[in-house]
Amino acid sequence: MRPRLWRLGPTRVYAPCNRHNVQTRPYPRQLLQKSPLSRVPGYFTDELLPKYMSSSASTRTAPAVEVGRIVPGARWDYRLHQLLEGGMSQSTVFKAEILPRKSDARPARWAAIKMAPNNRASLEALEREYDIYSMHNVASKSCFRDLYDVIGGNLNAGAGIEGLVFEWMDCTLANLSPKKYQRNPVIIKAIVDAVLHGLIALEMGKLISNPTAYCSLVSTLSILLPKWAIWALVRPCNPRQLGTCLQILVLPDGYRGAAQPFAMRAPEVYMGLGCIHRSSIWALAATLFCWVRPGVLGAANSQIPFSNEAWCIVKLRRLFPNWVVPPIEDDVCRCEFELADALIEESTPRVLEVSSLEEELEATPTLPEIKDLLRFMLIIDAQLRPTAAEVLRSKEYLALEKETQK
């Protein structure tokens, strides 16, 4: 029996903007009737809408701190200097000045402080992040930024902490001009090295190979760089010389929620299969691809604001026209793929703006070695996609490495 469409009134349907951060916005029924959504059986149903509503994220509430205030940590005190906007985390992040106590030398002048909202889920996520950064396999690697201190707890235990204090990095990959650096093999290789070695460290630390493990999210906002290293690029260069490092944003391995940003989200995550180690390989390639050729992936120019997932799937189906999608068990994911297929059938101008991956790479103004490496990592089937170690051994990576030595 076909599920009954969800109706909240004679003229309007309230459609969720996305699966995990639900906001009920009214859309005229006429708009929905004209859209391909009307051909998708049961997209908004009695069964599915409660799932949307129950998975809604908690309202973000900032901690009771403000710029200029001095916050005590376990090792040093911190004067909050600037509230940072536009990050990936639900936490509130500040740039802060480190204030040494007595004769204690501070590691640097500035630090980044992440303060969790006052709710259980956010505080538990902060504790998980502390646990991972405290592991020797992570703390000893230069590809991860340093954890300096904690707020509201002690350095020997993650329980009860309210904030984490990290090494300050001047900018993210998102702040870096692709026009200036997209043909620079040194900086591309440094970024690739930092992310891949970080993923290997997590895997070697048994953080990915078991159900209670965690993996890292990769995006233009989680790749951090100091400005001094960008200004003084040296060839050849390694990640430590360049200072590139990865910010760990943790989630359980196999997590089925909307963990990755739309543009960096792996195909298997859209299918409801969960985020795994190879999902981060896709995210690395997608991050670099979005950086040098923005708009091809993700929700940009979406024609269906109440389902950004479906629009992102449209782009993936256009990039990989031979992609055979296996049967999808998750009801919501299956409906999103059906809506995407309906949009592709209509062949609207915005849909046709996205070409195949080969055509998009050919139009990308970057080095052939970088295109080859992206092509090697952007494998639609997660089982066939290389691991971090396999990427580092690949002829595509070695060709990029050779290019940095010219």
Side-chain angles (χ1 to χ4, degrees):
M1 180 181 296
R2 177 178 295 183
R4 179 168 60 87
L5 287 178
W6 186 268
R7 299 178 184 275
L8 295 180
T11 59
R12 291 184 182 272
V13 170
Y14 282 76
C17 297
N18 57 58
R19 296 184 61 193
H20 300 275
N21 187 15
V22 179
Q23 301 172 13
T24 53
R25 295 182 183 176
Y27 291 94
R29 184 173 296 281
Q30 295 86 343
L31 173 64
L32 297 181
Q33 288 175 341
K34 292 180 181 179
S35 78
L37 178 64
S38 61
R39 301 205 300 269
V40 180
Y43 188 76
F44 301 108
T45 68
D46 293 337
E47 294 84 2
L48 294 186
L49 192 61
K51 289 184 181 180
Y52 278 108
M53 302 306 294
S54 63
S55 62
S56 175
S58 302
T59 303
R60 174 177 171 175
T61 56
V65 291
E66 57 187 11
V67 172
R69 179 178 172 182
I70 295 179
V71 178
R75 300 179 66 182
W76 300 289
D77 296 328
Y78 304 90
R79 179 182 290 111
L80 302 182
H81 177 75
Q82 178 185 358
L83 176 64
L84 304 179
E85 303 286 350
M88 296 172 59
S89 173
Q90 288 294 314
S91 301
T92 303
V93 182
F94 293 91
K95 179 180 181 180
E97 183 180 8
I98 303 176
L99 305 176
R101 296 171 181 167
K102 298 180 180 179
S103 59
D104 292 344
R106 60 184 181 182
R109 180 183 178 186
W110 300 109
I113 298 183
K114 177 188 286 190
M115 304 288 286
N118 190 21
N119 62 65
R120 181 178 178 181
S122 297
L123 292 173
E124 288 178 351
L126 204 68
E127 291 178 10
R128 289 197 300 267
E129 192 168 357
Y130 169 84
D131 291 340
I132 290 180
Y133 272 100
S134 300
M135 293 187 63
H136 175 74
N137 207 51
V138 171
S140 62
K141 301 294 183 182
S142 62
C143 53
F144 296 109
R145 66 173 178 174
D146 292 336
L147 174 64
Y148 284 164
D149 201 354
V150 298
I151 305 295
N154 63 73
L155 288 170
N156 299 320
I161 61 174
E162 300 172 1
L164 298 176
V165 183
F166 291 103
E167 173 187 8
W168 172 257
M169 306 292 281
D170 297 284
C171 67
T172 67
L173 179 60
N175 305 130
L176 214 59
S177 168
K179 291 183 179 180
K180 187 174 182 180
Y181 295 108
Q182 64 188 356
R183 296 187 63 84
N184 189 316
V186 175
I187 197 166
I188 298 294
K189 179 181 176 295
I191 291 168
V192 171
D193 282 353
V195 175
L196 293 179
H197 285 292
L199 294 175
I200 290 174
L202 290 174
E203 192 171 27
M204 290 178 63
K206 305 299 182 183
L207 297 177
I208 288 181
S209 60
N210 64 76
T212 59
Y214 304 96
C215 56
S216 177
L217 303 184
V218 181
S219 79
T220 53
L221 296 175
S222 64
I223 297 173
L224 310 174
L225 308 100
K227 287 181 179 177
W228 62 264
I230 300 169
W231 293 334
L233 282 173
V234 178
R235 301 179 65 170
C237 176
N238 61 44
R240 191 169 186 84
Q241 288 173 317
L242 184 56
T244 308
C245 68
L246 179 65
Q247 170 184 333
I248 306 177
L249 300 174
V250 296
L251 67 155
D253 184 50
Y255 177 70
R256 294 175 181 266
Q260 297 171 308
F262 285 126
M264 294 79 186
R265 192 171 300 177
E268 60 271 16
V269 180
Y270 281 114
M271 292 189 289
L273 299 179
C275 189
I276 58 176
H277 170 76
R278 285 182 167 90
S279 305
S280 294
I281 301 299
W282 174 280
L284 168 60
T287 294
L288 293 173
F289 189 35
C290 291
W291 183 58
V292 298
R293 193 158 179 79
V296 176
L297 291 170
N301 302 319
S302 175
Q303 291 187 300
I304 39 177
F306 43 80
S307 181
N308 285 325
E309 287 87 350
W311 182 247
C312 297
I313 293 166
V314 167
K315 293 183 175 182
L316 287 175
R317 298 302 294 268
R318 291 284 299 171
L319 284 167
F320 299 90
N322 298 323
W323 180 19
V324 178
V325 180
I328 298 175
E329 296 181 4
D330 185 277
D331 292 338
V332 176
C333 293
R334 184 172 62 254
C335 286
E336 289 164 354
F337 271 83
E338 291 173 353
L339 176 56
D341 290 341
L343 280 168
I344 292 174
E345 288 178 11
E346 286 204 347
S347 299
T348 62
R350 284 189 177 178
V351 170
L352 297 176
E353 286 177 0
V354 181
S355 303
S356 69
L357 178 64
E358 287 301 321
E359 293 174 311
E360 294 292 348
L361 285 175
E362 285 300 318
T364 302
T366 189
L367 297 175
E369 291 80 6
I370 297 172
K371 296 180 184 180
D372 290 342
L373 186 60
L374 294 179
R375 191 181 292 111
F376 180 69
M377 292 189 288
L378 288 173
I379 303 299
I380 202 79
D381 188 338
Q383 300 304 316
L384 302 178
R385 195 179 307 140
T387 64
E390 289 169 344
V391 174
L392 291 172
R393 294 194 301 265
S394 69
K395 67 178 188 301
E396 290 81 4
Y397 173 82
L398 295 176
L400 178 62
E401 184 177 50
K402 185 177 180 180
E403 185 68 19
T404 65
Q405 299 169 356
K406 291 183 179 179

